Structures are given as structure tokens and as C-alpha cells.
Amino acid sequence: MEKNIDKIWENCLKVIKDNIGHQAFKTWFEPIKPIKLDANVLTIQVPSQFFYEWLEENYISLLKTTIKKELGSDGRLEYSIIMENSFDSTHPYTIKVPTSNKRAIKNPSLSMPIDINRSSSNSIPNPFIIPGLQKINVQSQLVESYSFENFVEGDCNRLARSAGFAVANNPGKTAFNPLLIYSTVGLGKTHLAHAIGIQVKNLFPDKTVLYISSEQFFQQFIDAVKNNSQNDFVHFYQMMDVLIMDDIQFLAGKEKTQDVFFHVFNHLHQNGKQIVITSDKAPVEMHDMEQRLLSRFKWGLSADLQPPDLETRIAILEKKLYNDGVEMPKEVIEYLAYSITANIRELEGALISIMAQSSLNKKAISIDLANQMIDKFVKSTTREISIDYIQKVVCDFFNIPVDMINSKTRKREIVQARQLTMFFSKKMTKQSLANIGSRCGDKDHATVLHACRTVNNLMDTDKQFKASVDELEKKIKHQ
Ligand code: ADP
Ligand code: MG
């Protein structure tokens, strides 16, 4: 009976799907194309060398059993690896690897008994044998202080940090290749990218690591075109073991540079070298970027950095102070952390200016000074009084623990603190009523409106209450 290749592969996939996780299936099996069935040899096409190695290393026994089940005990599997590169992207290599040959994996370039079927007309010059080039001493351009030790971990960055850590400990050998880190500005992309490079250098001093901003990459490429040294440029980048490309969004619309990066990317990826990319947006939101490049980014892992929560902001400030050997009153640290929420660079900037001001003018570090510096150095947009901060001031005023606001209790003083928090949040932040309610004991918008009315009524009738409200308002605004 004639065996139908698609049917056979479909049957294999069914078994595989039942045996591995959904994400793994999507990542490693959906991209596979069955391309040939010859007697009992099934040839499948995989997108890269790395992909093939990963399958062999992780799924070989599952693949073997499945194939044997479908094709009989002498069923075999062969891979065809698509190799796109700058010299020839039309003829994929076919690498035949019997599934039984497991040892091929560890060091494929040395021991894999591969049989490369490719037309002889497009032989690829090996950049590694260009005399002199290999000896270039690459300056990694890494900034020492941007280490993992100095990178504070929080919920906001946990995935990106741990993926970065995994990559640094095993460059090119994890599924996170490329690792793409994205976020808005000032949230630690550059720091984390350097941390990976530093860690690789510490663990594997012989590896060639390069950190480069895509702006620099672009400039160098322009120069290379001018000097007619594009080949050297490409070869240089192809020598990296770890290439860290910061702010890739800068390449938007720059087609030629994207093109050359695409080729560098492919070369590195196929050779099991690690690529780390940062961007100000997720790949799906990148415009003016070549589709084939974007689709490459999806091969690995995209992880975002979120604005840090309060505890992480405090921890970042404390770490910085500790590293600099400076002491600062706890209330000032908290005030800073409460005031600057959306950008770690601004948080650090304010901290540094407070330290500078205080040492220059021999001023004591106080909330007042902090307030002045924040006004001076932080964009007003990112400096909105936060509900968290209002809660804190109100609760401090009444001497009750902050988390009571969110409790279900109906004790009079708590209810009043909660109402005042709602009142000030409505007055001083741009948050919606619903949002304010949900942050103050999980109430709805009607409760917030009611609270505002209650406070206003009380202020009209109770002088002492009004005095307290005014005093609180001053405290919140630091006047
Ligand atoms: P981005 O590249 O996303 O614009 P950066 O990496 O330049 O942001 O980070 C801005 C500043 O904030 C840097 O000084 C960096 O050291 C600091 N920073 C960011 N995230 C952290 C963190 N998790 N722990 C400690 N410092 C951080
Ligand atoms: Mg940056």
C-alpha cells in the first residue's frame, strides 16, 4: 500500500502532541514540514541547525518511537535543514542524520557524520580562515556595574531576568535564542543585556561577547559601505559567540542594515551562537521591520519588563545607596519610591541629584529636598501622586496600618481613612472612580462617589474635620 507522507506525519504529530506540553509542541513541532518519504525514510524539514540539535537532544526518543510506530521497526528519520545565508538563500542544505546517531549533537561541527547535499557552485568562504581576522581582540563594550548582582529582581522583571540568567549560563544552548527583551524606556533593558554579557564573560572567558547598540551597528555599516569593507563588517559580526544588540527599534525603516543584520543573525543562530536583542516594543508591534527578521525573533523568547512595584522600587534605591555607601532617611527613600513610578532611570536620577545637592550645599537629606529635586528632574507626566502614596499618608495620619484600607472591616476610623483616601485620590489623581474603588477595599465607583460626598458634607459641617483634611492635603502635596 502506498504510504501517504502527510498522513503519516499527521499521525506522528498526534502521538507527539499527547506526550509533550502545548508550548513545546507549538515551538518545536508545528514548524516542521514533512518533505519526503522514501521507503521507510521520512525526511522532515526544520528551520535551522539549532532547531535540529534541539530536537535531537530533547525529543529523540519520542521521535524514534513515533516513527517506528508509523513506519515499522526499520523506519528512519532524516532532517533537511534550511540554511539561509548571505551567499545563497535559495538552495537549502540537506543534512541527513540518522536518528540513531545521537552523539552527533554535542559538537556537530566536529563529529557529525553529515552528508551535505548542495550544489557545488555556491561554495561558502569561511570567514574564520581569513588571516588575521580571528585574532581581533573584541572589546565587549560591557559596563561593569550593569551586572546581575546589581539588578534587583521583582515580579516586574522575573521572566526576563531568569531567561537572561539561563542564557548567560548556557549561551546558545537554551531555547531562548534569540532572547528579546522589550519595555518602554528606563526599565532595565540595557542593564539586563549587559548583565548577560558580563556573566558570560565571567563564566566563559574565551567566548567572544559584543554589546552594541543598533545605532552603532548602523553607523558602522554605513562606514563599511563607504570603505567598501562590507564583507569584513559581516565577518566580524559572524565571529561572535554572544551578540547583544540594544534598541533594535532604531533599525526601523533602515532596510539595508536590517538585511545585513538578518544575515549575521542567521549565521550566528545556525552555529549555535547566542543572540540577545532589546527593543522598545514587542515584535508584533514593530513597524518598518522586515517580516523575515520579525519571524526570526519569534524563534526564541520575547520577555517584557514592566514598571516595578513599590517594593522593587524601594529595593532598587536601597541597593544603589548601599553600593554608593550613602545613607538616607527611610522616609525620603519611601517618598521617592512613591513619587516616581514609571521609570527607573528617573528614580535613580532623582536619587543622584538629591545626594549631589545635599553634599554640595551641606543640606540635610529631607523630604523637602527630595521634593525639589523631583520637581526639577522628573518629567511631570511621570510624577503623578499615586493612590498608594495617598493611602500611606492618610494611614500614617490616623496611625493605622496601610493594609487595613483594603480589609473588609467597618470600624469607624478605618471607614473614614478609606473614604478620605478615595476623596484625595479623586481630587489629586487622574484615576477613574472604578479604579480608585478597586484599589481601596475592592469597592465600586458608586461607593467612591458616596465617599467624596460624605467628606465634602463633613467638611461643611465640622470645622475640626475640615482642619484635618486640609492638613492631610498639605502632607500629601508636601507644601
Ligand atoms: P532601558 O534600557 O530599558 O531604557 P536601563 O537599562 O538603561 O533602561 O535602566 C535605567 C536605569 O535603571 C539604569 O541605571 C539601570 O541600572 C537601572 N535599573 C533598571 N532596572 C533595574 C533593576 N531591576 N535593578 C536595579 N537597577 C535597575
Ligand atoms: Mg536602553
Side-chain angles (χ1 to χ4, degrees):
M1 195 187 72
E2 181 74 9
K3 287 176 181 164
N4 175 318
I5 177 172
D6 289 329
K7 186 77 203 142
I8 284 179
W9 183 238
E10 204 177 287
N11 289 344
C12 293
L13 284 185
K14 263 189 217 143
V15 178
I16 292 168
K17 200 171 191 166
D18 284 343
N19 281 285
I20 65 173
H22 172 70
Q23 191 56 44
F25 181 80
K26 263 185 78 133
T27 310
W28 301 111
F29 290 94
E30 277 184 3
I32 297 176
K33 287 201 189 93
I35 53 173
K36 202 165 88 190
L37 182 62
D38 225 352
N40 11 7
V41 181
L42 173 69
T43 307
I44 57 172
Q45 190 182 64
V46 296
S48 68
Q49 171 79 25
F50 171 75
F51 203 103
Y52 146 73
E53 285 166 24
W54 188 266
L55 286 175
E56 282 278 296
E57 200 148 357
N58 295 282
Y59 299 110
I60 187 67
S61 53
L62 178 58
L63 271 167
K64 252 188 190 167
T65 348
T66 330
I67 293 288
K68 291 204 186 322
K69 192 161 159 265
E70 283 302 311
L71 296 178
S73 60
D74 52 353
R76 281 198 306 130
L77 185 67
E78 283 184 3
Y79 298 86
S80 163
I81 302 177
I82 303 177
M83 296 225 181
E84 286 170 84
N85 55 62
S86 48
F87 306 96
D88 171 22
S89 52
T90 49
H91 301 92
Y93 298 111
T94 300
I95 301 186
K96 289 184 188 163
V97 192
T99 42
S100 55
N101 197 332
K102 264 199 85 177
R103 279 295 27 89
I105 300 118
K106 277 289 169 269
N107 203 339
S109 57
L110 295 181
S111 58
M112 191 160 56
I114 50 174
D115 154 18
I116 303 179
N117 297 333
R118 31 194 312 273
S119 69
S120 55
S121 62
N122 31 156
S123 79
I124 297 179
N126 183 344
F128 291 91
I129 56 174
I130 292 177
L133 203 54
Q134 200 175 6
K135 297 275 179 302
I136 287 178
N137 184 10
V138 176
Q139 298 288 324
S140 295
Q141 305 207 92
L142 295 165
V143 177
E144 207 183 324
S145 63
Y146 283 170
S147 59
F148 274 113
E149 290 74 50
N150 288 340
F151 191 82
V152 174
E153 185 174 355
D155 287 343
C156 53
N157 60 35
R158 205 172 311 280
L159 174 67
R161 189 197 163 281
S162 52
F165 198 71
V167 158
N169 286 299
N170 219 347
K173 302 285 179 290
T174 68
F176 313 141
N177 200 15
L179 174 62
L180 190 140
I181 305 161
Y182 65 96
S183 76
T184 55
V185 9
L187 293 183
K189 298 182 291 293
T190 298
H191 187 144
L192 191 52
H194 279 271
I196 295 169
I198 293 167
Q199 176 93 338
V200 171
K201 269 302 199 190
N202 285 340
L203 295 175
F204 314 97
D206 292 338
K207 286 210 188 289
T208 313
V209 177
L210 181 68
Y211 165 90
I212 188 132
S213 70
S214 51
E215 192 167 354
Q216 275 176 302
F217 184 81
F218 169 74
Q219 289 301 343
Q220 288 179 0
F221 177 60
I222 302 280
D223 289 345
V225 173
K226 265 194 223 145
N227 303 329
N228 210 4
S229 57
Q230 290 175 56
N231 279 348
D232 291 348
F233 174 82
V234 171
H235 293 155
F236 174 76
Y237 277 93
Q238 289 180 339
M239 283 175 12
M240 299 307 145
D241 293 306
V242 178
L243 177 62
I244 303 166
M245 176 79 84
D246 204 1
D247 289 319
I248 193 97
Q249 75 274 2
F250 183 82
L251 297 189
K254 301 184 173 64
E255 279 167 33
K256 282 265 151 33
T257 318
Q258 284 180 34
D259 219 45
V260 80
F261 179 61
F262 178 77
H263 293 309
V264 168
F265 182 107
N266 281 338
H267 181 97
L268 295 179
H269 200 275
Q270 278 157 13
N271 288 288
K273 304 306 169 75
Q274 180 68 45
I275 301 150
V276 177
I277 298 168
T278 79
S279 165
D280 69 350
K281 9 181 148 34
V284 286
E285 287 163 20
M286 289 184 201
H287 302 298
D288 291 327
M289 202 64 100
E290 276 187 55
Q291 208 47 48
R292 56 182 188 159
L293 200 51
L294 290 182
S295 76
R296 290 295 186 277
F297 296 168
K298 292 188 195 124
W299 284 357
L301 177 79
S302 303
D304 66 339
L305 299 172
Q306 290 290 328
D309 55 26
L310 178 68
E311 286 72 26
T312 311
R313 296 199 296 276
I314 292 177
I316 289 173
L317 289 172
E318 282 176 341
K319 174 138 244 161
K320 181 108 186 94
L321 287 166
Y322 178 83
N323 283 347
D324 291 359
V326 175
E327 285 192 12
M328 193 173 274
K330 184 91 184 153
E331 55 170 8
V332 177
I333 298 176
E334 286 185 351
Y335 179 66
L336 277 176
Y338 272 111
S339 310
I340 305 173
T341 58
N343 185 324
I344 301 173
R345 189 174 300 143
E346 289 184 349
L347 192 62
E348 282 189 351
L351 183 74
I352 293 166
S353 38
I354 292 167
M355 298 194 298
Q357 273 295 319
S358 126
S359 65
L360 269 175
N361 303 335
K362 307 256 176 305
K363 277 193 195 160
I365 296 181
S366 63
I367 292 203
D368 247 9
L369 181 64
N371 207 23
Q372 289 167 26
M373 291 304 116
I374 291 173
D375 281 344
K376 253 202 188 131
F377 290 99
V378 179
K379 276 187 264 133
S380 54
T381 46
T382 54
R383 204 211 150 200
E384 190 187 300
I385 293 174
S386 66
I387 298 179
D388 284 345
Y389 187 63
I390 294 172
Q391 281 180 350
K392 181 180 150 51
V393 174
V394 172
C395 290
D396 282 357
F397 187 83
F398 291 111
N399 227 338
I400 57 180
V402 177
D403 45 12
M404 290 308 281
I405 294 261
N406 285 305
S407 71
K408 291 275 168 256
T409 177
R410 295 181 164 280
K411 266 170 108 177
R412 217 185 76 86
E413 52 180 14
I414 310 281
V415 172
Q416 190 159 71
R418 200 184 288 135
Q419 287 182 332
L420 280 163
T421 303
M422 291 174 174
F423 169 82
F424 285 121
S425 299
K426 171 79 182 67
K427 189 167 172 186
M428 297 170 150
T429 74
K430 295 191 201 77
Q431 303 286 327
S432 68
L433 291 173
N435 211 2
I436 294 171
S438 79
R439 300 276 300 279
C440 302
D442 203 14
K443 306 289 189 210
D444 62 10
H445 79 284
T447 312
V448 180
L449 270 184
H450 174 74
C452 294
R453 245 180 267 130
T454 310
V455 171
N456 278 320
N457 287 344
L458 266 176
M459 283 207 293
D460 287 345
T461 51
D462 182 340
K463 272 212 180 104
Q464 210 187 332
F465 181 79
K466 182 168 186 321
S468 306
V469 174
D470 289 345
E471 194 182 334
L472 263 172
E473 181 162 344
K474 278 193 185 145
K475 275 198 193 304
I476 294 170
K477 285 188 175 160
H478 282 283
Q479 285 166 343

